[in-house]
DNA sequence: TTGTAAGCGTTATCAT
DNA sequence: ATGATAACGCTTACAA
């Protein structure tokens, strides 16, 4: 690969002049030289050495996307993360940046990578309050936090999430409007966004004079060897309900199959709802009644907010973006009024 | 962030000495200095500036993953790519490299990025013969090509793919063994790996004295506004068959729903098979009879082969890896013999 | 309009 | 065991 210095020597000009042409500062260079230099640039297919450029200019044009994992899982197996990543990549690239991807379990690792590479900005997913604060303290550049709670108001950090509580509230209200009274809520934990969804469920139950609360929180434990026991137990407990609000399409589908395999008909005998509206939500049978979120947009907005901070647009950048959701009614909830 | 030079000044030693300690070459440094330096290193939380390191050492520890896209799609919406990426990321990271991800439609773009960043290696997906050759000519470092045909034997390139033809052959034979005679093959094109699968189908049909061939190739065109017309047409044509071999679970599921929505029962009235065994293959109803491939392993092997080339292990590195597949029998094929 | 030269933070060669 | 010092390729004052 040809370098600036080599070109400068070839043409008997200075590296400054070549550099200026490369960066389109043609006003500072005589037309004749612009031409000569551009010709060589093209002829030798000049490519800048980005490492050198970064070192000299103290920036990197790298944006990191790091998603938190526990254990050895592959988070991108989940359609949600895959789609999110794709949207982020597109935005990052089209804005002239480069995307580095990490699945990490430890903030210290995150710190090491973003500092060493001198990354210009970071998009994170799944880290919680203390962890973000840790990062924010030692990494003084923009951070976008996706789908987290309790991380508001940190300096140079932006939160992006859904109206989780409202969405779950509306879903629950819809199910109640179909005549259901014994309704459970299911998730794999009760923190962060799952907790918000749980709160929405509780509120709707409360307002309808029905009993929600912790005793109707069903915990699902997928991915370990007790999964089958867990499903069996959930199956048994499900007889106490006519409907179950699940915090993801993934769990809704698992339930769907576990129940149907055991001979329980959905939605005739029990109704099930999902969350996210991922690709297969409309593919499973019965098709899932669910909450749609626009994952693509989430990724896009994330990067755009990041870039806005990067450019340091003098106008203040909002520090929180809450994306809308939409109730999608399909076939997995039975109308008991009919 | 503290630099080597600063540490050296603080301790009145040379940068060489500090550098040696950083790299664990403690034999070349007096025990006393090792201790003093390590203490400062820890105390000030030294992080190397990777750009500087890369510039000086003429490597980058970056591995690029680039998947070809046409148009503005998000390839990572497809579970296959998501899972592949996750596996690649894990391997890359655990080997001490860093992953940069691009979805590109143009090899020239690829060239620009990999050369500018001085990437140590590349994993590609979806580029075809001429494109790979173009890259290989100007990028003299290891390239791993996933799921491509007609790219064999290029220098410093490794191919990784499935026994596509054999898998389709076996699937077709299985369907035939269930008593089917009118069997179609469905894909969105007839090139590359889809073509290989088509060939496997043809061979099985041939051997059984049945008629396969182009006239029973069904072309599906998803993702554009003619999608519904296309599905309607496929529905009509399907009456000529008792079974359809699809080249992906994705298409099999689409068909499943298009047919069932129109009142055609699967598998009672028509059988459908998939390919890949992605997550929802067992979630849709009827659960898909399909060909399983180990995507996780594909990604893992890809990176491992790449690293092997990188290390320039003197033993010759194989230039082609063909991964096995497995026929998974579920409920989407009817046994006509019973 | 053009050129000189310092500096970015490392690595690595070669003396000492 | 330790230290000077050049080199990596580029950006950017500053000078001419």
């Amino acid at each position: 690969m040809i370098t600036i210095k080599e070109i400068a020597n070839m043409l008997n000009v200075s590296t400054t002049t070549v550099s200026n042409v490369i960066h389109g500062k043609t006003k500072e260079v005589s037309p004749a030289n612009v031409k000569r230099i551009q010709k060589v640039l093209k002829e030798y297919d000049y490519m800048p050495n980005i490492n050198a450029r970064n070192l000299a200019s103290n920036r990197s044009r790298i944006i990191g996307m790091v998603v938190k994992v526990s254990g050895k899982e592959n988070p991108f197996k989940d359609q949600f993360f895959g789609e999110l990543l794709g949207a982020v990549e597109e935005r990052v690239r089209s804005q002239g940046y480069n995307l580095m991807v990490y699945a990490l379990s430890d903030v210290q690792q995150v710190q090491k990578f973003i500092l060493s590479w001198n990354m210009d900005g970071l998009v994170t997913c799944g880290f919680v309050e203390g962890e973000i604060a840790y990062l924010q303290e030692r990494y003084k550049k923009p951070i976008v936090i996706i789908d987290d709670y309790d991380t508001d108001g940190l300096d140079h950090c932006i939160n992006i999430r859904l109206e989780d509580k409202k969405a779950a509230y509306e879903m629950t209200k819809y199910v109640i409007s179909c005549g259901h009274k014994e309704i459970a809520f299911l998730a794999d934990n009760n923190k962060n966004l799952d907790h918000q969804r749980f709160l929405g469920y509780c509120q709707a139950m409360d307002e309808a004079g029905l009993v929600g609360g912790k005793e109707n929180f069903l915990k699902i434990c997928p991915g370990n060897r007790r999964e089958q026991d867990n499903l069996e137990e959930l199956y048994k407990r499900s007889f106490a309900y006519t409907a179950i609000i699940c915090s993801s399409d993934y769990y809704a589908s698992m339930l769907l199959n576990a129940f149907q395999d055991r001979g329980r008909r959905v939605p005739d005998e029990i109704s099930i709802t999902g969350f996210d509206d991922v690709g297969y939500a409309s593919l499973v049978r019965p098709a899932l009644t669910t909450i749609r979120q626009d994952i693509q947009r989430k990724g896009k907005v994330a990067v755009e907010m990041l870039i806005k901070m990067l450019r340091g647009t003098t106008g203040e950048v909002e520090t929180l973006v809450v994306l809308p959701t939409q109730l999608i009614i399909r076939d997995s909830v039975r109308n008991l009024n009919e």
Side-chain angles (χ1 to χ4, degrees), chain A:
Chain A
M1 294 219 311
I2 199 166
T3 67
I4 288 189
K5 201 192 270 181
E6 286 166 350
I7 296 180
N9 286 340
M10 278 175 61
L11 263 33
N12 275 318
V13 297
S14 73
T15 59
T16 310
T17 306
V18 177
S19 178
N20 277 334
V21 172
I22 288 172
H23 289 89
K25 300 182 187 169
T26 45
K27 297 164 205 164
E28 334 232 305
V29 183
S30 69
N33 270 339
V34 170
K35 261 206 178 141
R36 293 201 310 145
I37 292 172
Q38 279 178 339
K39 188 171 167 233
V40 174
L41 247 25
K42 184 145 291 174
E43 203 167 336
Y44 286 81
D45 205 9
Y46 169 79
M47 307 260 168
N49 179 320
I50 300 199
N51 284 307
R53 180 179 285 180
N54 289 345
L55 182 59
S57 61
N58 191 33
R59 32 161 33 240
S60 67
R61 293 233 162 242
I62 296 176
I63 285 175
M65 170 160 177
V66 15
V67 341
K68 169 146 182 174
V69 291
S70 24
K72 280 207 148 239
E73 294 155 38
N74 177 347
F76 297 102
K77 233 172 153 168
D78 185 335
Q79 278 202 337
F80 172 83
F81 286 111
E83 189 168 348
L84 187 68
L85 174 118
V88 167
E89 189 280 335
E90 195 282 327
R91 253 13 239 160
V92 165
R93 176 168 37 80
S94 69
Q95 299 287 322
Y97 289 82
N98 302 270
L99 183 68
M100 268 193 178
V101 178
Y102 297 90
L104 262 22
S105 58
D106 176 15
V107 262
Q108 300 212 12
Q109 293 277 318
V110 182
Q111 183 201 358
K112 186 186 110 193
F113 288 125
I114 58 186
L115 288 181
S116 288
W117 282 103
N118 193 18
M119 294 186 186
D120 288 344
L122 187 66
V123 177
T124 65
C125 225
F127 289 88
V128 292
E129 200 278 330
E131 298 173 314
I132 298 288
Y134 177 93
L135 276 185
Q136 181 256 5
E137 231 174 80
R138 18 217 121 196
Y139 178 66
K140 296 305 182 191
K141 295 187 179 169
I143 302 178
V144 169
I145 306 151
I146 292 181
D147 278 340
D148 257 326
Y149 285 82
D150 309 314
T151 48
D152 298 27
L154 290 173
D155 207 30
H156 65 79
C157 290
I158 293 178
N159 269 276
I160 298 183
R161 59 173 86 110
L162 300 180
E163 16 176 46
D164 287 292
K165 184 174 171 188
K166 175 156 165 270
Y169 171 77
E170 279 172 5
M171 174 60 92
T172 310
K173 258 180 71 166
Y174 164 72
V175 172
I176 293 173
S177 80
C178 290
H180 294 268
K181 290 187 175 6
E182 281 78 34
I183 308 172
F185 179 88
L186 177 143
D188 61 7
N189 73 79
N190 195 358
K191 282 184 273 188
N192 244 325
L193 83 176
D194 286 308
H195 180 60
Q196 296 298 318
R197 292 174 188 178
F198 176 65
L199 291 181
Y201 152 82
C202 290
Q203 186 187 337
M205 294 299 275
D206 258 16
E207 289 182 7
L210 300 172
V211 29
K214 296 238 168 158
E215 67 259 39
N216 296 307
F217 181 101
L218 265 28
K219 185 177 164 76
I220 189 168
C221 319
N224 60 39
R225 90 200 77 81
R226 293 191 51 254
E227 177 173 310
Q228 285 311 314
D229 297 349
N230 179 233
L231 285 175
E232 180 64 24
E233 188 207 328
L234 290 171
Y235 171 68
K236 283 185 188 143
R237 288 191 61 183
S238 75
F239 284 92
Y241 304 100
T242 65
I244 300 179
I245 312 280
C246 300
S247 86
S248 76
D249 289 341
Y250 184 62
Y251 293 145
S253 313
M254 282 187 66
L255 235 51
L256 217 55
N257 288 309
F259 287 5
Q260 292 186 132
D261 289 348
R262 289 169 172 78
R264 194 125 191 258
R265 283 174 303 143
V266 182
D268 297 340
E269 298 180 275
I270 186 155
S271 298
I272 291 177
T273 71
F275 213 109
D276 291 345
D277 198 27
V278 297
Y280 54 78
S282 56
L283 255 34
V284 297
R285 284 299 175 269
L288 283 177
T289 288
T290 189
I291 298 287
R292 171 176 301 166
Q293 65 162 309
D294 190 339
I295 304 175
Q296 201 86 16
R297 185 163 163 219
K298 209 178 221 173
K300 199 176 156 213
V301 168
V303 179
E304 278 166 2
M305 299 297 289
L306 196 67
I307 305 264
K308 224 182 247 175
M309 288 188 77
L310 245 38
R311 301 218 203 291
T313 321
T314 34
E316 62 288 336
V317 182
E318 305 114 287
T319 174
L320 171 65
V321 180
V322 177
L323 262 18
T325 57
Q326 189 190 353
L327 175 63
I328 303 289
I329 298 177
R330 296 204 182 92
D331 314 318
S332 63
V333 175
R334 178 174 169 200
N335 190 338
L336 298 176
N337 304 317
E338 284 172 355

